[in-house]
Amino acid sequence: MVNKRWFQFLVFFILVFSLILLISVTDFIFSPFVKIIGAVAVPIIGAGILYYLTKPIMYFLERLKINRILSIVLVFLLLILIGFFVYMYIAPIAQQQFRNLIDNIPTMVNWAQDLISLWQSNQTAIPKEIDKAINDFTNNLQSHIDSTLNYLFGFIGQLIGFITALVLVPFFLFFMLKDGEKLVPFITQIFSQKKAANIRSLLSKIDSTLTSFIQGQLIVSFAVGVLLFIGYLIIDLKYALTLALFAMVMNVIPFAGPFIAVIPALIVGAFQDPMNLFWVSIVMIVAQQIESNLISPNVMGHALDLHPLTVITVILAAGSIAGFLGILFAVPFYSVVKTIIIHFYETYVDSKKNREDALI
């Protein structure tokens, strides 16, 4: 029985869960290491995202017979040029629009309260519970806005700390671009030739999954942001650039992002002109149709192959556990885990034919 594969797997999982239990009991030993990992997580993740975005550019430059170091320097110059363009031409306009939007929030709140009061005065058959709920919400609307703004400014404070940690990103990015290809040989050198080939296959699949998601999702989000900005300009929506940038960031979140992105635009549009509720909806529908039928199939294809219900479930679970960061990284993390599980299952099936193919 000891030599049976199911028994070995059972022992393996028992040992894993025993190790997890032991770590949870002795967490005071590992907490300093967790803090260290947390301190370097931001620059590593930031550099990793930029690595997957800039790696094709570096390879393209190398195909033009430009050596690796000079290619990396040119990549950094391109990033600096993009950052300078954003800082000089986009950031000031977005900052001014955002400041104007914040200044107009009290006026928008008063408008909403007047609209609710007008609607209540024209209703004769409103249940008391609904009427009470509306009154409570209306009376406390300003406090809700204040708490939302406080949360927003707290988030901005955390964002500033996040940006400070990004100072280390260029250093991590440089060495990732320079020595990234050395990681796989370093990991596989301790394994036999056949197991090393298996692990290289697994790491290649993980790399393809991350490449598909990071490059695809960011390119798609950028395209959607540009489409929405053009659409908002056509319908003459106020704060068009700020709302389009917000939509661009939210579209990084798969499936749920577009629904979150349209809410501020609908609110601003309704305050400007109630007819804008219709026009903003049309702009969003057109942008999403172009994205789903033209941009995403050509940029991302079906590499991740995730069912929408799976995406929703993963996002909800990750959001309840880790908040916004969980929502942001839930889908790529799930995709990587799915890739690993599928690879191990395929390896397990193959190992029934040949014992040497087994990884464990």
Side-chain angles (χ1 to χ4, degrees):
M1 185 178 71
V2 176
N3 294 325
K4 295 289 186 180
R5 180 56 59 86
W6 67 266
F7 180 79
Q8 293 175 352
F9 268 101
L10 179 62
V11 172
F12 170 76
F13 283 114
I14 290 174
L15 291 175
V16 168
F17 284 111
S18 299
L19 179 61
I20 294 173
L21 178 62
L22 182 61
I23 292 174
S24 65
V25 173
T26 58
D27 59 340
F28 62 91
I29 298 175
F30 299 96
S31 58
F33 298 100
V34 174
K35 291 180 180 178
I36 293 172
I37 293 173
V40 299
V42 171
I44 289 177
I45 293 173
I49 293 173
L50 288 176
Y51 169 75
Y52 281 103
L53 288 176
T54 57
K55 182 173 63 170
I57 302 174
M58 184 187 70
Y59 288 156
F60 172 76
L61 293 173
E62 286 187 328
R63 286 195 294 270
L64 298 178
K65 307 303 181 183
I66 301 175
N67 68 54
R68 173 68 58 95
I69 298 298
L70 184 56
S71 298
I72 295 173
V73 171
L74 292 175
V75 166
F76 272 76
L77 289 176
L78 177 61
L79 292 176
I80 292 171
L81 184 63
I82 294 172
F84 177 78
F85 176 80
V86 171
Y87 176 77
M88 290 297 297
Y89 299 103
I90 297 179
I93 300 173
Q95 184 179 12
Q96 183 62 42
Q97 289 188 1
F98 181 74
R99 189 181 296 115
N100 293 339
L101 178 59
I102 295 297
D103 292 339
N104 282 331
I105 282 180
T107 305
M108 296 171 68
V109 170
N110 293 331
W111 173 81
Q113 290 176 331
D114 294 340
L115 186 64
I116 293 174
S117 298
L118 178 63
W119 180 76
Q120 285 180 293
S121 64
N122 292 323
Q123 300 296 319
T124 57
I126 302 177
K128 292 183 179 180
E129 293 78 7
I130 297 178
D131 189 49
K132 184 176 182 301
I134 293 174
N135 287 329
D136 291 341
F137 178 79
T138 304
N139 295 333
N140 296 318
L141 188 58
Q142 186 63 49
S143 63
H144 292 320
I145 295 294
D146 292 339
S147 62
T148 302
L149 289 177
N150 289 334
Y151 175 80
L152 179 62
F153 287 121
F155 174 75
I156 292 174
Q158 295 177 356
L159 185 62
I160 292 173
F162 174 80
I163 293 173
T164 303
L166 292 182
V167 173
L168 296 174
V169 167
F171 300 98
F172 283 89
L173 176 61
F174 176 83
F175 288 105
M176 283 182 178
L177 290 172
K178 179 177 177 291
D179 301 321
E181 296 170 351
K182 299 178 181 179
L183 177 63
V184 174
F186 175 78
I187 293 174
T188 57
Q189 64 182 349
I190 61 174
F191 296 95
S192 65
Q193 186 174 356
K194 204 155 192 177
K195 285 185 170 59
N198 196 311
I199 293 173
R200 278 195 298 270
S201 175
L202 171 61
L203 294 177
S204 176
K205 292 176 183 177
I206 294 174
D207 181 70
S208 298
T209 299
L210 291 175
T211 300
S212 298
F213 180 83
I214 294 174
Q215 293 181 359
Q217 198 66 36
L218 292 180
I219 291 172
V220 167
S221 297
F222 176 78
V224 170
V226 171
L227 289 173
L228 289 177
F229 178 61
I230 295 172
Y232 292 161
L233 289 179
I234 292 174
I235 65 175
D236 196 26
L237 185 68
K238 289 184 178 179
Y239 321 116
L241 181 59
T242 300
L243 294 172
L245 289 175
F246 176 77
M248 187 184 299
V249 174
M250 289 299 103
N251 267 274
V252 175
I253 304 171
F255 196 80
F259 298 99
I260 302 173
V262 73
I263 293 174
L266 289 173
I267 295 173
V268 171
F271 175 73
Q272 182 180 344
D273 181 357
M275 190 63 186
N276 276 337
L277 288 171
F278 172 76
W279 294 119
V280 170
S281 300
I282 292 297
V283 168
M284 177 59 71
I285 291 171
V286 170
Q288 289 303 319
Q289 286 300 311
I290 294 174
E291 179 268 326
S292 59
N293 294 304
L294 182 62
I295 300 174
S296 287
N298 290 296
V299 173
M300 297 183 70
H302 300 283
L304 298 183
D305 192 26
L306 299 178
H307 194 277
L309 186 59
T310 302
V311 174
I312 296 172
T313 304
V314 169
I315 289 175
L316 290 176
S320 64
I321 295 172
F324 179 74
L325 287 178
I327 293 174
L328 202 58
F329 295 107
V331 174
F333 178 78
Y334 172 81
S335 299
V336 170
V337 172
K338 177 185 175 184
T339 300
I340 294 172
I341 292 174
I342 291 175
H343 180 84
F344 270 88
Y345 175 76
E346 291 174 348
T347 300
Y348 169 72
V349 172
D350 292 338
S351 67
K352 289 184 175 181
K353 304 174 184 176
N354 189 349
R355 179 73 179 180
E356 293 180 2
D357 290 337
L359 277 177
I360 56 174

